[in-house]
Structure formats: structure tokens, C-alpha cells
Amino acid sequence: MSNDLRIEAANCTDALSPAELDAARVRIIAAQHTLQQRTGAGNEFLGWMDLPDSALLEMADIRSAAEEVRAHSDVLVVVGIGGSYLGARAVIESLSDPFDHGGLEVVYAGHHIDGGYLTSLMKHLAEKRVSLCVISKSGTTTEPALAFRILRQWMEERYGKAETARRIIAITDARKGALRKVADEEGYRSFIIPDDVGGRFSVFTPVGMLPIAAAGVDAEGLLEGARTMREVLQGTDPELNPVLQYSMYRDAFYRAGRGIEVLASFHPRLHYVTEWWKQLFGESEGKDGKGIFPAAVSNTTDLHSMGQYIQDGMRTLFETFLTIDELDDRTVVPSASDDTDGLNYLAGRAFSEVNRSAMLGTALAHRTGGTPNLAIHLRDGSARSIGALLYFFETAVALNGYALGVNPFDQPGVEEYKRNMFALLGKPGFEQLREELLKKLSAE
Amino acid sequence: MSNDLRIEAANCTDALSPAELDAARVRIIAAQHTLQQRTGAGNEFLGWMDLPDSALLEMADIRSAAEEVRAHSDVLVVVGIGGSYLGARAVIESLSDPFDHGGLEVVYAGHHIDGGYLTSLMKHLAEKRVSLCVISKSGTTTEPALAFRILRQWMEERYGKAETARRIIAITDARKGALRKVADEEGYRSFIIPDDVGGRFSVFTPVGMLPIAAAGVDAEGLLEGARTMREVLQGTDPELNPVLQYSMYRDAFYRAGRGIEVLASFHPRLHYVTEWWKQLFGESEGKDGKGIFPAAVSNTTDLHSMGQYIQDGMRTLFETFLTIDELDDRTVVPSASDDTDGLNYLAGRAFSEVNRSAMLGTALAHRTGGTPNLAIHLRDGSARSIGALLYFFETAVALNGYALGVNPFDQPGVEEYKRNMFALLGKPGFEQLREELLKKLSAE
């Protein structure tokens, strides 16, 4: 078993029969074989499997670009959407102080179509030294392309073309696409998104690593955690391999009619890890009318929101707790002379101990209420542990996708709204679809 | 029909038969009658219905306390969990600039058990003038009580007892409970949480109104929107009453096997409105093994995350879009001399127009993919519209709860984890449960 991450599944035992678990185990072990042989659907997108090693080769270049950004900037604007920003944001927010950005503030843009947000952002940037990292394989995805067009013009007006070029880093395709063309013409420093890595699996490529290193996070530790986890996940013994356990329970619950998984983090800093997880699992499994619906809560916050439902609503859920075992937490409950609030029984104890009891109490309560739950325990809150966790989840969803009979590496459904949007906006080339849609809309 | 809010349901028609809709209509109209007669389950908690009027009476006091906070503070720390902070945060973030807090920064605490967060927060507050608003009916809910204990001691060390008392506002029970006792003894300014209003329905009490007014938001406009909406929702004609439509579709979809509702906002500022909505709906409906599972996405961001699942995953969903019709948006797409990104076809058009086409395109795509969807259109992004929306949702969940046969105003399942947590932490009075739990844990 890994030292960085372990699975605890005692609160699942009531909900699944041994036969259900056995059948799931067989499917997951077969899926592991397919993944390791690289013979399954979408095997042209398995580059993510090797990134923990191959990414090391790029770290010197990443580190140098990151240091340059930190030296001449107060703010780094990361322009990207979906897999082009969620991995970086998940890692950065997991490992940063929530109130103190430690020298370089990282802000995000191009992840929606809100003009007011961009206008406010430019006001916010006015007095600050700004760098920008634009991340897009094609350079024509509407949201980041719109934001980049505006922010680039704003930077060129402010800094002039030459200085702007020094302040922009492009992460894009090696040879083709609009952003590659602009980067080459303008002389931006650039990094490559490999062809064999999909967006939601790209956190260990420069897509994630450049912003992560610029934010001052221990990027090397992150890769080390992923590398160690990679070794552990090669094993074929379910007792020693946490991904076989997690994927087995997921597969069994889904087939037993539990179509919703709630990932319940007990640490607010992990919020964007759960957002990243939702994309990874939702896009990989949610196709062909199948797949677990991924939802996330942040506890104990959401015990006072979604807790009632999970305890007592429709019994179509299972839960995965996400918790850090050893927190570097020196905040203790102080004693009070009056004890009006009745908390003196906790005086002198660490907040992390209270939080751990909340988690344990919740796990037992939800099990009793009919929501089985397993727990992913991270050893600590280091970059190494986060790296291990992300690689663990990437592997898990590959196994579950294969066991489900879908291609876990495509996302055909993401294109549908875009085509409709282009047609409605009158983009050249979409004239026929535009006519069809307008007819549909006016008929109602 | 209301001018502030309207329902569009053209993309639902394929998914429900006329008979299903008729049956749902009958149930919802019966529920409306029960609510208006105040004869249903939980009718001791219907105080929220009258708040749009009664809250006006308190506005002078709220306004004066808010002005005092603004005059002597840079930061207001709001201490509360669940319904004691989500309403305020939903309104404040909907109506504030995302990067500029306009003079008073509002931060939140006591909504989880993270010691590191509190330590970082106190460092963040060190050079700033601080006020604190503590919100708890009992004063003994673990999360806010812990945070208040720490922050109060920190303020008393910094400001002394007398000045601290001037900088703390307590919102709590009129007569009983730990926080009432402390507030009276220390001479804090205080406001009352009425006995007939549950936490998740409390946004128009001082629980919401004090932080909202302090943040500089148009609190009176908010109430005006709620008041106008209240009139509209009295009507019994489904064609003219948007809440009858929304609740009818929800009821019909649930009974037709669609157990997940995805609230899809198209404006990032509304993120906490969707968080507030999840508590309101999840706690009100999720009981007795029943209820729609509430999930939320923020678009177009999450079209690049959960979009694939919604387009093409398990067909157990329906979607509710949340959109603002008239945005005060002067951000337009600039022209570019080279057009490498291919966006010149949008030059001169407002971002809000592009965003609207994304929504319309998504609605049609999801309908085609088998996820029916309705849309809630807010007239504009004003406080008045937000007030109308919140009151609309409160009424809707009451109707849906009654139609479902549950008490929409209790939350018995929220206590379970607390009792376990108290027992595991060794709280006096929980000795027997502690023994049972420890036995259970060691057996595995």
C-alpha cells in the first residue's frame, strides 16, 4: 500500500454483497490489464500515464520561465477553460494560504463569457505589474480567445508590443493552430501541449506546471508524488493497490443503482481539487447514456447544506470522503473563563482533531442513514500528496471508463453547444445550422 | 406574469406527456392552497412568507448598524454556517464587483473547522480595522462557536473589551441561548432571529440583511423585489404565476424518474445563489428517502467540465437555466487587424450577446441530447431582481415539499453527524453513544 494515500472502506460493507464486489473486481482487473497493455479505446491519448517521468525533463525550462514571471510581476493572469485551468487552480489553491498569495497573485480569465468580469479585472490590474499565460491547444476556443484578445490589446497599449511579448507565455500545440501562429510571430515564450494528452489529463504538462511553478508551489514535489503513485498503481493485488479498491467500489455501486457519487472533502483548500475531479470523471464516464453523476461537497460547511439530503434523501448515492491525516495545524481551541458556549471540553485540542471527529461521525451517520461511504486518506497536505492524489484519480477514471465500456478519453458531447452557439452568432460556415435553429426557435 | 422574473419551458415539451403535466399541476395548486391557508406540515415556520413586509420595519436599525460598521472598519468578518451565511453571501457576491469590495471587505468564518484558515485570517486582519458579525440562533453550533471564541479573544487582546464590544454585532435568539447571554452581558449591539423562520429561509431577516447592508448592497431594493414577487406568487393561474410553472415541472420530472436537477447559472457572480439554492432545496426536500438531488453548474465555465455528462450521460437529469436578460454590459469584442483567432465576426458585439447565444445553443443541444431544460429569466442584475429570485425559490420549495408529502421546513438529518461528533470528542452527556461508536469502530 502507498504511504501517501490509502482507502478505507469499512462503511461500504453493508451496501454491497460479496458477489457484487467480486464481479466488480474482475471487471476492474481486466480494465487495468487493458490500460497497461495500452490496447483499449482512446489509446492514442495515454500520454498522461508517462508524464510523472517525462515532465521532469521540462522542469528546468518551466522553472526558468516561472522565475522570470515572479521577478517582474505582481499578478499572473492565467487564460484558459476546462482542463486548461482546473488542474493548475486545484494544485495552487490546495497548497497556498487562502489570504496571502505570497508575492505573486494568480487570477483566472477566459473561463466564461462575462464582460463585466474582464472590465473589473483590468481595473484591478491597473496599478500592478502583469504577466499573462494563455493556454489553448487550438487558440480558437471562444472563451479564452475572447479574453486573450482583450487582455493582449490592453497589455500592448500599456506596455508596448515588445514588452508585452516578454510578459506573455503561450502554452499550445507544437506546430498548428491560431495560438501557435501568434506565439511564433510575436516571439512569445511558449510551451507545448502534447498531442497524446487530453485537456482534463494535462495537469502534469506545462498546462498545469507553468502556473503551478509561477505560484511558488513545490512543483518538483508534486511530480515526485505522482511518480511514486504511478509505481504503486502498477500492482495487481487489490489489497495493496488503492486504485483497484476505489474503482471496484465505484463500479459496484453504479451497477447496484447508485448513480451519484458525492466527493466530500473535509478541507476547504481542496475545493478546486473536487472541481477538477468533477471534470475528470464527468467527461470521462458521462457518455452513451451511462456514467456516475459526479457531485462534490466541502465539509463541514456543506453538512449544513447538502448534509440533510445525503443523510435522508433518495437512496441513490454513495460518498467518497477526501481527508488529510496529518495536518500541520497548530491552531488549538482556547480555554474561556466563562464557558457560556460550552466548548471548554475541547480546550487545548487542535482544530484538526475536532475536524477528524466530525468526519468520522459523519461517515458513521451517513452509513446508518443508508449512504455507504469510502474514504481516501492523504498522508499529509504536501505537494507530494496532492500529486499522488491527482495521478490516482486519473488512473481510476481510466479503469472505470473501460469497465463501463466507454472511451474514457474523448468528449464528443462538448462540441454540441459550441456548434449551436456559432450558428446563432452567425459564424461563417454555419449558415445551414443557423437556419434550422432559427426555424426551431420561432416554431415555439 | 412578473416583470422581474419569467419562466421559459419550450425545451421541456418533448420530455413530459400532457397527462404527467396535468397531474403535477393539480398537486402544485393543492400545495399552494395548503401554503396559503398555512395548514401544512411545519406551519410554525412560515414566518419567511411575511418577511418582505415585516423586514422593512427593521431597516432603519439595520442601516444605522451597517453605517457604523462601514465608518470604523476595513473588514467585516461574518461568522456563521449554513443558512446563517449563505443568504448574505449569495446576495453580496451577486451584486458586488468581483475584484473591488468598494470600501468594506466582507470575509467569512465559522463555516468549517479549519484551524489554518483562522490563523491565516487573523494575519490578514492584522493591519486592518475589523468588525465582526456573529450569527447563531443557539450560540453553541460547533463551527461558528469555535471561530467566534478565537476571534473574540483576538479582538479583545487587540482592542480591549470595551472597543471590542462596539465592534461586535450578534444576531441571535430574542431571549435564550449562549450567544444571547454573551451579547447581553458584553453589551453587543444585537438583532433577533425570529422563532418562526428556519435558517435556510432567513435571508430577509437581520441574518442576511445586516451583512448585506454593511457590504453596501441596495438592501431596500432587495426587499422591494421580494415584496413585488410575493404579490405575483399569490395568483392561482399557472400562466401568470411563474412559481406554479417551475414547481409543476420539478414535480413532474421527479415523478418521471429524473431525480437530479442541475441549476445552470450563466453568470459567475450568481455562484453563491446556486450554493444557497442547494441548501434550500436539498434540506427542504431531501428526507424520508425522497427528494430531487440538487446540483449546480456555473456556465459557460462548466460546459467544459460537466457539459459532456449533461449532454450525453445517464438520462436521469433535468436542467434549470438561470440567466439575466438585460445586463449592464459595455464590454464589447474588439476588432483585430490580423484575425488569427477568427473572432472578427463578433467584433463590436457585447459579451452579453455572445453569452446569451451560448445559453440558447446549450439549451437546444441539451434538449436534443435528452436533458430537458427550463429557464428562469431575471429581468436585470439589480438587487430588486435578486430579491425577487430568492423569494421565488423559497416559495417554490415549499410547494414542491408539500406536493412530495414531506415537511419542507425541518431538517432532522442534520443532527446525526453532530451527535456522533460530540460522542467521539467526549462531550459530557454523550458517554453512552461514545461507547457504542467506539465498539463499532474497533469491530472493523
Side-chain angles (χ1 to χ4, degrees):
Chain A
M1 181 63 92
S2 155
N3 290 321
D4 296 311
L5 183 155
R6 66 186 173 85
I7 303 287
E8 163 71 55
N11 292 311
C12 293
T13 45
D14 316 335
L16 293 166
S17 71
E20 286 173 317
L21 275 178
D22 285 344
R25 189 179 296 110
V26 168
R27 279 188 295 269
I28 294 300
I29 287 177
Q32 186 192 33
H33 186 76
T34 304
L35 183 67
Q36 289 180 347
Q37 299 299 311
R38 308 198 180 205
T39 52
N43 60 359
E44 67 276 33
F45 292 108
L46 293 179
W48 61 271
M49 293 177 72
D50 308 313
L51 286 173
D53 287 310
S54 60
L56 268 182
L57 305 174
E58 268 184 305
M59 273 313 297
D61 281 351
I62 296 253
R63 184 57 68 200
S64 118
E67 291 309 326
E68 203 180 314
V69 167
R70 290 182 71 84
H72 66 43
S73 317
D74 304 307
V75 184
L76 172 66
V77 184
V78 176
V79 175
I81 194 164
S84 294
Y85 90 104
L86 279 171
R89 191 163 191 174
V91 172
I92 292 168
E93 299 201 359
S94 292
L95 296 165
S96 305
D97 186 298
F99 290 100
D100 178 3
H101 46 66
L104 184 82
E105 183 189 6
V106 179
V107 299
Y108 301 88
H111 55 318
H112 47 57
I113 313 177
D114 184 327
Y117 178 90
L118 281 178
T119 303
S120 299
L121 173 59
M122 288 184 284
K123 246 174 69 190
H124 176 70
L125 298 176
E127 308 283 308
K128 303 190 171 79
R129 298 172 304 153
V130 177
S131 286
L132 185 147
C133 175
V134 53
I135 306 173
S136 176
K137 182 82 173 159
S138 67
T140 52
T141 301
T142 305
E143 292 88 343
L146 279 173
F148 181 54
R149 186 180 266 221
I150 285 216
L151 290 167
R152 177 186 162 195
Q153 290 191 3
W154 177 84
M155 286 177 77
E156 287 180 349
E157 266 169 43
R158 174 172 166 184
Y159 289 118
K161 266 184 102 68
E163 175 68 8
T164 296
R166 273 191 294 276
R167 291 179 170 276
I168 292 181
I169 296 171
I171 304 181
T172 187
D173 192 88
R175 285 167 304 273
K176 56 187 193 310
L179 183 54
R180 167 52 57 201
K181 186 156 179 272
V182 173
D184 289 347
E185 282 172 6
E186 301 288 325
Y188 300 154
R189 189 158 188 165
S190 73
F191 291 87
I192 291 168
I193 307 178
D195 286 332
D196 59 356
V197 179
R200 60 188 176 274
F201 289 88
S202 68
V203 59
F204 300 120
T205 73
V207 169
M209 298 309 283
L210 190 280
I212 286 166
V217 163
D218 173 13
E220 286 82 359
L222 189 82
L223 288 178
E224 191 193 317
R227 212 158 48 244
T228 312
M229 182 52 65
R230 190 189 178 204
E231 287 308 307
V232 172
L233 302 190
Q234 302 291 327
T236 52
D237 181 348
E239 295 302 307
L240 300 174
N241 184 339
V243 82
L244 295 179
Q245 294 174 37
Y246 178 53
S247 291
M248 175 185 73
Y249 280 106
R250 294 186 82 253
D251 185 81
F253 280 133
Y254 175 72
R255 289 170 196 259
R258 298 186 182 270
I260 301 172
E261 177 178 9
V262 179
L263 183 65
S265 148
F266 273 77
H267 307 280
R269 286 187 194 189
L270 300 183
H271 170 67
Y272 266 93
V273 170
T274 69
E275 286 295 312
W276 172 87
W277 173 89
K278 284 199 290 187
Q279 185 197 8
L280 182 68
F281 281 73
E283 273 190 4
S284 301
E285 294 186 312
K287 52 197 66 162
D288 307 341
K290 305 185 201 174
I292 295 171
F293 183 86
V297 297
S298 180
N299 286 338
T300 59
T301 303
D302 289 334
L303 290 170
H304 297 252
S305 161
M306 291 296 295
Q308 166 67 37
Y309 193 102
I310 296 169
Q311 183 71 43
D312 206 21
M314 272 221 291
R315 304 296 71 188
T316 49
L317 322 174
F318 70 99
E319 233 178 337
T320 301
F321 291 91
L322 180 55
T323 183
I324 298 170
D325 283 343
E326 292 165 30
L327 266 185
D328 182 23
D329 175 15
R330 274 154 294 187
T331 316
V332 296
V333 180
S335 186
S337 51
D338 54 4
D339 200 32
T340 314
D341 55 16
L343 292 176
N344 270 351
Y345 81 103
L346 296 176
R349 288 153 86 176
F351 270 62
S352 55
E353 187 193 339
V354 182
N355 196 42
R356 191 174 304 118
S357 294
M359 193 201 64
L360 213 49
T362 303
L364 291 168
H366 288 182
R367 171 191 185 168
T368 305
T371 296
N373 49 85
L374 54 149
I376 299 171
H377 290 263
L378 293 186
R379 184 177 52 187
D380 57 32
S382 65
R384 181 189 159 101
S385 288
I386 299 296
L389 178 67
L390 301 186
Y391 194 82
F392 168 84
F393 277 139
E394 290 177 349
T395 307
V397 84
L399 300 186
N400 279 119
Y402 282 156
L404 194 63
V406 302
N407 177 352
F409 305 112
D410 68 359
Q411 53 285 330
V414 177
E415 299 308 309
E416 296 296 315
Y417 95 89
K418 293 186 195 171
R419 295 178 59 247
N420 286 353
M421 175 177 75
F422 293 149
L424 292 170
L425 286 169
K427 186 172 181 175
F430 291 82
E431 289 79 5
Q432 200 190 329
L433 180 59
R434 179 180 170 81
E435 242 173 82
E436 287 168 31
L437 294 181
L438 292 180
K439 212 175 286 172
K440 214 180 233 178
L441 287 170
S442 69
E444 272 147 5
Chain B
M1 181 62 91
S2 155
N3 290 321
D4 295 312
L5 183 155
R6 67 187 173 82
I7 303 287
E8 163 71 53
N11 292 312
C12 293
T13 44
D14 316 333
L16 293 165
S17 70
E20 286 173 318
L21 274 178
D22 285 345
R25 188 179 296 109
V26 169
R27 281 188 295 270
I28 295 301
I29 287 176
Q32 185 192 33
H33 186 77
T34 304
L35 183 67
Q36 289 180 349
Q37 299 298 311
R38 306 194 181 209
T39 53
N43 61 0
E44 68 275 35
F45 292 108
L46 293 180
W48 62 271
M49 292 176 71
D50 308 312
L51 286 173
D53 287 312
S54 60
L56 269 182
L57 306 173
E58 268 184 303
M59 272 315 295
D61 281 352
I62 296 252
R63 186 55 70 198
S64 115
E67 291 308 327
E68 205 180 312
V69 167
R70 290 182 71 84
H72 66 42
S73 316
D74 304 307
V75 184
L76 172 66
V77 184
V78 175
V79 175
I81 195 166
S84 293
Y85 90 103
L86 279 171
R89 191 163 191 174
V91 172
I92 291 168
E93 299 202 358
S94 293
L95 297 164
S96 305
D97 186 298
F99 290 99
D100 178 2
H101 46 66
L104 185 82
E105 182 188 8
V106 178
V107 298
Y108 302 87
H111 56 317
H112 47 56
I113 314 177
D114 184 327
Y117 177 91
L118 281 177
T119 303
S120 299
L121 173 59
M122 287 184 285
K123 245 173 70 190
H124 175 71
L125 298 176
E127 309 284 306
K128 303 189 171 78
R129 299 172 303 153
V130 177
S131 286
L132 185 148
C133 176
V134 53
I135 306 173
S136 177
K137 183 82 173 160
S138 67
T140 53
T141 301
T142 305
E143 291 88 344
L146 280 173
F148 181 54
R149 185 181 266 220
I150 285 215
L151 291 167
R152 177 186 163 197
Q153 291 189 5
W154 178 84
M155 287 177 76
E156 287 179 351
E157 268 169 44
R158 174 171 167 184
Y159 289 117
K161 265 184 103 68
E163 175 68 8
T164 295
R166 272 192 295 275
R167 291 180 170 276
I168 292 180
I169 296 171
I171 305 181
T172 186
D173 192 89
R175 284 168 305 274
K176 55 186 194 310
L179 182 55
R180 166 52 57 201
K181 187 155 178 273
V182 173
D184 289 348
E185 282 171 7
E186 301 288 324
Y188 301 153
R189 189 158 186 166
S190 73
F191 291 88
I192 291 168
I193 306 178
D195 287 331
D196 59 355
V197 179
R200 61 188 176 274
F201 290 87
S202 68
V203 59
F204 301 120
T205 73
V207 169
M209 298 309 283
L210 190 280
I212 287 166
V217 163
D218 173 14
E220 288 80 0
L222 189 83
L223 288 177
E224 191 192 318
R227 210 157 51 244
T228 312
M229 182 51 64
R230 188 187 180 203
E231 287 309 307
V232 172
L233 303 190
Q234 303 291 326
T236 53
D237 181 348
E239 295 301 306
L240 300 175
N241 184 341
V243 82
L244 296 179
Q245 294 173 35
Y246 178 53
S247 292
M248 176 186 73
Y249 280 107
R250 294 186 82 253
D251 185 81
F253 281 131
Y254 176 71
R255 289 171 196 258
R258 296 187 182 269
I260 301 172
E261 177 178 9
V262 179
L263 183 65
S265 148
F266 273 77
H267 307 280
R269 286 187 194 189
L270 301 183
H271 171 67
Y272 265 92
V273 169
T274 69
E275 285 296 311
W276 172 88
W277 172 89
K278 284 198 288 188
Q279 185 197 9
L280 182 68
F281 281 73
E283 272 190 4
S284 301
E285 293 185 313
K287 53 196 68 162
D288 308 342
K290 305 185 201 174
I292 295 171
F293 183 86
V297 296
S298 180
N299 286 339
T300 59
T301 303
D302 289 335
L303 289 171
H304 297 251
S305 161
M306 292 296 295
Q308 166 68 36
Y309 193 102
I310 297 169
Q311 183 71 40
D312 205 22
M314 272 222 292
R315 304 296 71 188
T316 49
L317 322 173
F318 70 97
E319 233 178 337
T320 301
F321 291 91
L322 180 56
T323 184
I324 298 170
D325 283 343
E326 293 164 29
L327 267 186
D328 182 22
D329 174 15
R330 272 154 296 187
T331 315
V332 297
V333 180
S335 185
S337 51
D338 54 3
D339 200 31
T340 314
D341 56 14
L343 291 176
N344 269 353
Y345 81 102
L346 297 175
R349 289 153 86 174
F351 269 63
S352 55
E353 187 194 339
V354 182
N355 196 42
R356 191 174 305 116
S357 294
M359 193 201 65
L360 213 50
T362 304
L364 291 168
H366 289 182
R367 172 192 184 168
T368 304
T371 296
N373 50 83
L374 52 150
I376 299 173
H377 289 263
L378 293 185
R379 184 179 50 188
D380 57 33
S382 65
R384 180 190 159 102
S385 288
I386 299 296
L389 177 67
L390 301 185
Y391 194 82
F392 168 84
F393 277 139
E394 290 177 349
T395 307
V397 84
L399 300 185
N400 279 118
Y402 282 156
L404 194 62
V406 302
N407 177 351
F409 305 110
D410 67 0
Q411 54 284 331
V414 178
E415 298 309 309
E416 296 298 315
Y417 95 89
K418 294 186 195 171
R419 295 179 59 248
N420 286 354
M421 174 177 76
F422 294 150
L424 292 171
L425 286 168
K427 187 173 181 174
F430 290 82
E431 290 77 7
Q432 200 190 331
L433 180 58
R434 179 180 170 80
E435 242 173 82
E436 287 168 31
L437 293 182
L438 292 180
K439 211 174 290 172
K440 214 180 235 175
L441 287 171
S442 69
E444 272 148 5

